[in-house]
Amino acid sequence: MAEGILAGLSVVEGSAFVAVPLTGMTLAQLGADVIRFDPIGGGLDARRWPLDAQGNSLFWQGLNKGKRSLAVDLRSPEGREIVTRLIARPGPDAGIFLTNLPDAGWLSYDALRTKRDDVIMVALTGNRNGSSAIDYTVHPATGFPAITGPAGTGPVNSVLPAWDVAAGLHAAVGLLAAERRRSRTGQGALVRLALSDVAFAITAALGRLAQGELGLDDGGKAGNDLYGAFGRDFATRDGERLMVVALTPKQWATLKAMTGLAAAIAAVAARTGIDLDDEDGRFAARDEIAGVLAPWFAERTLAEIEAIFSGTGVSYGAYQTFRTLATRDPRVVREGLFANVEHAGGSTYRTPGSPLAISHADALPPLAAPAIGQHTDEILASLGLPDHEIGRLHDRGVVAGP
Amino acid sequence: MAEGILAGLSVVEGSAFVAVPLTGMTLAQLGADVIRFDPIGGGLDARRWPLDAQGNSLFWQGLNKGKRSLAVDLRSPEGREIVTRLIARPGPDAGIFLTNLPDAGWLSYDALRTKRDDVIMVALTGNRNGSSAIDYTVHPATGFPAITGPAGTGPVNSVLPAWDVAAGLHAAVGLLAAERRRSRTGQGALVRLALSDVAFAITAALGRLAQGELGLDDGGKAGNDLYGAFGRDFATRDGERLMVVALTPKQWATLKAMTGLAAAIAAVAARTGIDLDDEDGRFAARDEIAGVLAPWFAERTLAEIEAIFSGTGVSYGAYQTFRTLATRDPRVVREGLFANVEHAGGSTYRTPGSPLAISHADALPPLAAPAIGQHTDEILASLGLPDHEIGRLHDRGVVAGP
C-alpha cells in the first residue's frame, strides 16, 4: 500500500467549514492519519452547498478527503472521554489536535495537557481576541471588495473563500513547525491563529495595507485589469473571453510579436509619449494598448488564438465555467492530479490528490472522504476498547456508525 | 535576541512575484534564516506595484520581510558557483532551495544533488508540465470569475492573487514535510508543485469542480450573496455597507433576535411556505429575507448597528478600504500582530509578523524586508570567502551591495 511522506503522523481534527478541514485534508493527502470527529449525524457543515442530486454535500466530501471519521456525542461525558483519549494517545507522532471549535473547557489546551503534557494543539479562531469572524465577514474588512469588479459597482465579494484557504494552509505550517520542535526537544505547543490576522497579514504582504496607510492611490475599481502593468480580458470571435497579461518584458515582447501588432503599439508609444517597455507605462497606457489589441482578438476564435500563442511565452488564459474546467480542461481531464473516485452517497467524480509531488515518497492516489462515522468502530478498537464495550457505546448513543 | 520556532532552519530562495516569496517569508517570520538571491539591481518583481511615493515597491517589501538578501550576477560562472555553494552548504538544517525560477540546468535538482546528495529543492511551476501560468491566467480557468460579481456582468477577476497565496503556503507545507523526512531518514527530496494544480485542487475541495462535472446548477452570478444559506450586504443610513451572514442556526437566531425582526421573518416563512430554519430555505428565500432586513439597516448608522450586534453572535463585517483597514481597524491599529517598521528606502508603516502564535517559542517582532544586496558581504563571508576575495567579486561585478 502506498505511503505518503507524512505516513505515521497522527492528527485528530475537530472542525467545521473550510479552513481547518483543509488543513487536515492537506496532511491526509500526504499520508498522515487524520481522524475527524463529528457529532452523530454530522456537524454544522455536513449539508453545506454545493450538494449533489441526492443531497450529499460535495463541499464536505471535497474538504475531508483521505480522513477517517468518528461520529460521537460530544455532549456526553463518555463521548468527551473518547475524544480526549484519542487526542492524548501515546506515540511520538500522535498527540496532535487540530481545531476551530469554540474553546470548550474539556478541549482546551490546558485540559488536554493534563492528559498528555507534550500535546500539540492548533487552534484557529475568527479574530485574535477569540471573537467570531468568517471569511465572508473578514473579506469586506480587507479592502479588496472595494476595488474588485467593474467601475460603477459597489463592493464585490469573493466567491472563493481565499482567507479560509490561506488560514488552513497556515495552520498546516504551524502544525508541522510545532511537531518539528517536539520531535527535537519534546516540547508540546499551543499554536494559535486567527482568520482575520491571516487576511490582514497577507493584505499587508501584497503592499496594499501600506498603500492605504501612506495615503497612496489604490487605483480604484480594477475591472479585469492587472494592477501596475498590462493585463486585461478580451472577447474572441466565437464569444469566448480570455485574459492576457504582459507583466514581464518577455511576456510583453511575445505578445507584440505573436499578434503582429508591434508597429501599432509603437505608434501608441509615440502618440502618448509613454514608455511601454516599462511596466508602469503599460499600466498608464492600458486603454490605448487594449484598443490596439481588441480587434485582433475579436477577429479570431479562441482555438485560433490558442494555436498562435501556445508555447510562445505569451501569458494568457481562457475563462471557463466549473463545467468546462471539469470536463474539458486537459489539466483536469488528462493529467495525473485527478482520478475518478466514488464518494459516500454514490456520486463518482474527478477528485484530486495532493498537488505536492515529492520525490522518494509515494504519491497517494486521489482519496474519497469518509461517510460520517465510517471508522468509528476501528478507531474505538485502536483505543483498546473491547467489542462488547464498543457495542454498549453504540447502544447508548454515545457513538455511531455511518 | 528572540528566536522563532524555526530558528536554525536555513533556506535559500530564488524567486519572484508572490507565491515563492510568500513561502520564504512565512518561514522567515517563524525564525528560519531565509537568504533570497536576486540579480544585481533586482529581478522581475523589484519594481512591482504598489509603489511608495519614492518609487520603492511596497509589494516587494511586503513579501520579503525577515529575509537576508544576496545580490549576484546569475549569468556569470562565479555568481552561479556562489549560489550553488550557498544552497549546498553543510549542516543538518541547511541544504534547502526554494524556487520558481525556470529549470536552468545549473539550478536543477540533479545538478544540486551532485553538490549535496540530500538537498531539498521545492520548485513551483505554472502548470504541472512545466509550462507557464500565473495567478491572473489560472483564475479565469477555475470558473470562479464566471460566478463572481453582480448579475449582468462578464467574468470578474480577483484582485487578490489567492492562488499564489495558496501555492506559496502549500510549498511551505511541502518543504517542512520533506525536511521532516530528511531529519529522520537522511533522504533529500525534490518537491514539485504547480500553481494550476493548487487552484484546481482547491476548486475541487470546495465541491465546485464536482458540481460542474455532475451538471449541477452553480447558481450563476453570486452578487454578494453567500451560497447555500443567507448572507448579503446592506447599506446603512450613513452610507456605509456591511456584510451579514446567517449560515449557522445560532447566527440566524441572533440576527433575528438583535434586529427584532423575528415576527416579520416568520411571516416570510408563512407566506412563501419555505422553512427558513433550514440553510437551503434561507438561500431560496434570500431576496424576501433581505427585503425584510434592508429597511432596518437603512434606518441605522454603522456605529449603531455595531453597538447592537457586537458580542451577540451575529456574524457581520463592515466594508472597508485599504486606508480604513490600515488606519482605523482596531485589529490592525491596536493589537499585537502589527507594529510600525521602517523599511529600506525610508517609508515607515504598519507591518505584520507571523499570524502564527506558538507557545514556548518567541514570537519574532514584525521585520522589514532587506534592501537588495544588503547582506551580500556577510553571506559571502559565511561561505568562508576572505575579505579580499569578496572585494574582488564586487570589483568584477559578480556581486553587489545595496
Side-chain angles (χ1 to χ4, degrees):
Chain A
M1 201 180 134
E3 282 203 334
I5 194 163
L6 294 181
L9 188 68
S10 185
V11 175
V12 177
E13 175 190 314
S15 74
F17 299 115
V18 179
V20 172
L22 183 70
T23 314
M25 189 192 75
T26 299
L27 302 172
Q29 290 187 318
L30 294 172
D33 176 29
V34 178
I35 297 175
R36 173 170 167 153
F37 62 84
D38 273 292
I40 293 168
L44 290 171
D45 57 353
R47 298 198 57 239
R48 186 86 184 91
W49 285 30
L51 309 176
D52 71 8
Q54 292 75 42
N56 302 297
S57 173
L58 299 170
F59 171 98
W60 199 94
Q61 291 178 352
L63 285 162
N64 292 292
K65 296 189 291 284
K67 301 178 189 175
R68 295 196 291 159
S69 172
L70 167 70
V72 56
D73 179 1
L74 297 171
R75 294 160 307 183
S76 81
E78 281 180 300
R80 294 179 173 190
E81 171 66 18
I82 288 165
V83 170
T84 304
R85 280 179 62 186
L86 198 58
I87 294 170
R89 271 176 310 173
D93 293 338
I96 304 177
F97 178 44
L98 173 62
T99 191
N100 68 330
L101 296 176
D103 189 336
W106 66 280
L107 274 180
S108 68
Y109 178 62
D110 287 340
L112 294 172
R113 275 188 87 181
T114 66
K115 308 294 181 183
R116 178 167 172 160
D117 186 55
D118 69 346
V119 72
I120 293 170
M121 173 164 160
V122 180
L124 177 73
T125 57
N127 291 311
R128 173 172 279 238
N129 66 7
S131 64
S132 173
I134 63 175
D135 185 282
Y136 313 95
T137 61
V138 166
H139 191 57
T142 61
F144 281 105
I147 62 165
T148 300
T153 52
V156 173
N157 287 0
S158 174
V159 179
L160 169 70
W163 306 121
D164 276 340
V165 171
L169 294 170
H170 246 108
V173 170
L175 187 153
L176 291 172
E179 199 270 340
R180 180 177 188 270
R181 178 176 67 183
R182 189 178 70 178
S183 72
R184 292 165 181 230
T185 68
Q187 175 66 57
L190 172 62
V191 179
R192 287 174 299 126
L193 180 65
L195 180 68
S196 60
D197 278 355
V198 170
F200 301 157
I202 289 173
T203 303
L206 296 164
R208 294 299 200 155
L209 193 88
Q211 183 179 43
E213 181 179 348
L214 299 175
L216 303 162
D217 181 11
D218 64 15
K221 281 285 184 180
N224 285 349
D225 284 343
L226 178 73
Y227 183 60
F230 183 78
R232 184 173 287 192
D233 59 324
F234 293 94
T236 67
R237 182 157 67 83
D238 52 342
E240 302 289 334
R241 292 193 82 81
L242 78 170
M243 181 74 191
V244 179
V245 172
L247 174 55
T248 67
K250 183 186 171 198
Q251 288 165 356
W252 179 231
T254 51
L255 177 61
K256 288 189 292 185
M258 291 303 126
T259 56
L261 292 169
I265 285 171
V268 168
R271 190 171 69 242
T272 59
I274 296 173
D275 178 4
L276 302 184
D277 290 334
D278 184 272
E279 60 195 85
D280 309 24
R282 292 197 288 280
F283 187 63
R286 62 193 182 278
D287 289 334
E288 290 83 356
I289 295 170
V292 171
L293 292 172
W296 188 90
F297 289 100
E299 287 162 10
R300 288 167 176 81
T301 66
L302 179 59
E304 288 165 354
I305 294 163
E306 288 185 328
I308 294 168
F309 284 174
S310 179
T312 62
V314 177
S315 181
Y316 71 99
Y319 286 88
Q320 304 189 122
T321 61
F322 296 132
R323 178 146 186 86
T324 49
L325 173 65
T327 58
R328 285 194 237 155
D329 193 309
R331 293 168 292 186
V332 170
V333 175
R334 275 199 229 128
E335 295 186 32
L337 181 62
F338 289 84
N340 281 315
V341 173
E342 182 176 349
H343 291 263
S347 286
T348 296
Y349 49 84
R350 298 193 79 75
T351 303
S354 172
L356 288 162
I358 304 181
S359 68
H360 313 95
D362 297 328
L364 298 183
L367 303 166
I372 290 172
Q374 183 178 333
H375 305 92
T376 296
D377 289 1
E378 72 181 50
I379 291 164
L380 295 175
S382 77
L383 291 175
L385 273 65
D387 284 353
H388 68 269
E389 175 62 15
I390 295 171
R392 199 186 62 85
L393 290 167
H394 277 279
D395 294 344
R396 300 186 54 211
V398 175
V399 301
Chain B
M1 199 176 135
E3 283 203 335
I5 195 163
L6 294 180
L9 188 69
S10 186
V11 176
V12 177
E13 176 190 314
S15 73
F17 300 114
V18 178
V20 172
L22 183 70
T23 313
M25 189 191 75
T26 299
L27 303 172
Q29 289 187 318
L30 294 172
D33 177 28
V34 178
I35 297 175
R36 173 171 166 152
F37 63 84
D38 273 293
I40 293 169
L44 289 172
D45 57 353
R47 296 197 57 238
R48 186 86 185 90
W49 284 31
L51 309 176
D52 71 8
Q54 291 75 44
N56 301 297
S57 172
L58 299 170
F59 171 99
W60 200 94
Q61 291 179 353
L63 285 162
N64 292 292
K65 297 190 291 281
K67 301 178 190 174
R68 295 196 293 159
S69 173
L70 168 69
V72 56
D73 179 0
L74 297 170
R75 294 159 308 182
S76 80
E78 280 180 300
R80 294 179 174 191
E81 170 68 18
I82 288 166
V83 170
T84 303
R85 280 179 62 186
L86 197 59
I87 294 169
R89 271 176 310 172
D93 294 338
I96 304 176
F97 179 44
L98 173 62
T99 192
N100 68 329
L101 296 177
D103 188 338
W106 65 281
L107 275 180
S108 69
Y109 178 61
D110 287 340
L112 294 172
R113 274 187 89 180
T114 65
K115 307 294 181 183
R116 179 168 172 160
D117 186 54
D118 68 348
V119 72
I120 293 170
M121 174 164 161
V122 180
L124 177 72
T125 57
N127 291 312
R128 172 172 280 237
N129 65 6
S131 65
S132 172
I134 63 175
D135 186 281
Y136 312 95
T137 61
V138 166
H139 192 56
T142 63
F144 281 105
I147 62 165
T148 299
T153 53
V156 172
N157 286 1
S158 175
V159 180
L160 169 71
W163 306 122
D164 276 339
V165 171
L169 293 170
H170 246 107
V173 171
L175 186 151
L176 291 172
E179 199 270 340
R180 180 177 187 270
R181 177 177 68 183
R182 189 178 69 177
S183 71
R184 293 166 181 228
T185 69
Q187 175 66 58
L190 171 62
V191 179
R192 287 174 300 125
L193 180 65
L195 180 67
S196 60
D197 278 355
V198 170
F200 302 156
I202 289 173
T203 303
L206 296 165
R208 296 298 202 153
L209 193 88
Q211 183 179 43
E213 181 178 349
L214 299 174
L216 303 161
D217 180 12
D218 64 15
K221 282 285 186 180
N224 285 348
D225 284 341
L226 178 74
Y227 183 61
F230 183 78
R232 184 172 286 194
D233 59 324
F234 293 95
T236 68
R237 183 155 67 81
D238 51 343
E240 301 290 334
R241 292 193 83 82
L242 79 170
M243 181 74 191
V244 179
V245 173
L247 173 55
T248 68
K250 183 187 172 196
Q251 289 165 356
W252 180 229
T254 51
L255 177 62
K256 288 189 292 185
M258 292 303 127
T259 56
L261 292 170
I265 284 171
V268 167
R271 189 170 68 242
T272 59
I274 296 173
D275 178 5
L276 303 183
D277 290 333
D278 184 90
E279 60 195 86
D280 308 25
R282 292 198 288 281
F283 186 64
R286 61 193 183 279
D287 288 334
E288 290 83 355
I289 295 170
V292 170
L293 291 172
W296 189 89
F297 288 100
E299 287 162 9
R300 288 168 176 80
T301 66
L302 178 59
E304 288 166 353
I305 293 163
E306 289 185 327
I308 294 168
F309 284 174
S310 180
T312 64
V314 177
S315 182
Y316 70 99
Y319 287 88
Q320 303 188 121
T321 61
F322 297 131
R323 178 145 187 86
T324 50
L325 173 65
T327 59
R328 284 196 236 155
D329 193 308
R331 293 169 291 186
V332 170
V333 176
R334 274 200 228 128
E335 295 185 31
L337 181 62
F338 288 85
N340 281 315
V341 173
E342 182 176 349
H343 291 262
S347 286
T348 296
Y349 50 83
R350 299 194 78 74
T351 303
S354 173
L356 288 163
I358 304 181
S359 69
H360 313 95
D362 298 328
L364 299 184
L367 303 166
I372 289 172
Q374 183 178 332
H375 305 93
T376 296
D377 289 1
E378 71 181 50
I379 291 164
L380 295 176
S382 77
L383 290 176
L385 272 65
D387 285 352
H388 69 270
E389 175 64 14
I390 294 172
R392 199 187 62 85
L393 290 167
H394 276 279
D395 293 344
R396 300 187 54 212
V398 176
V399 302

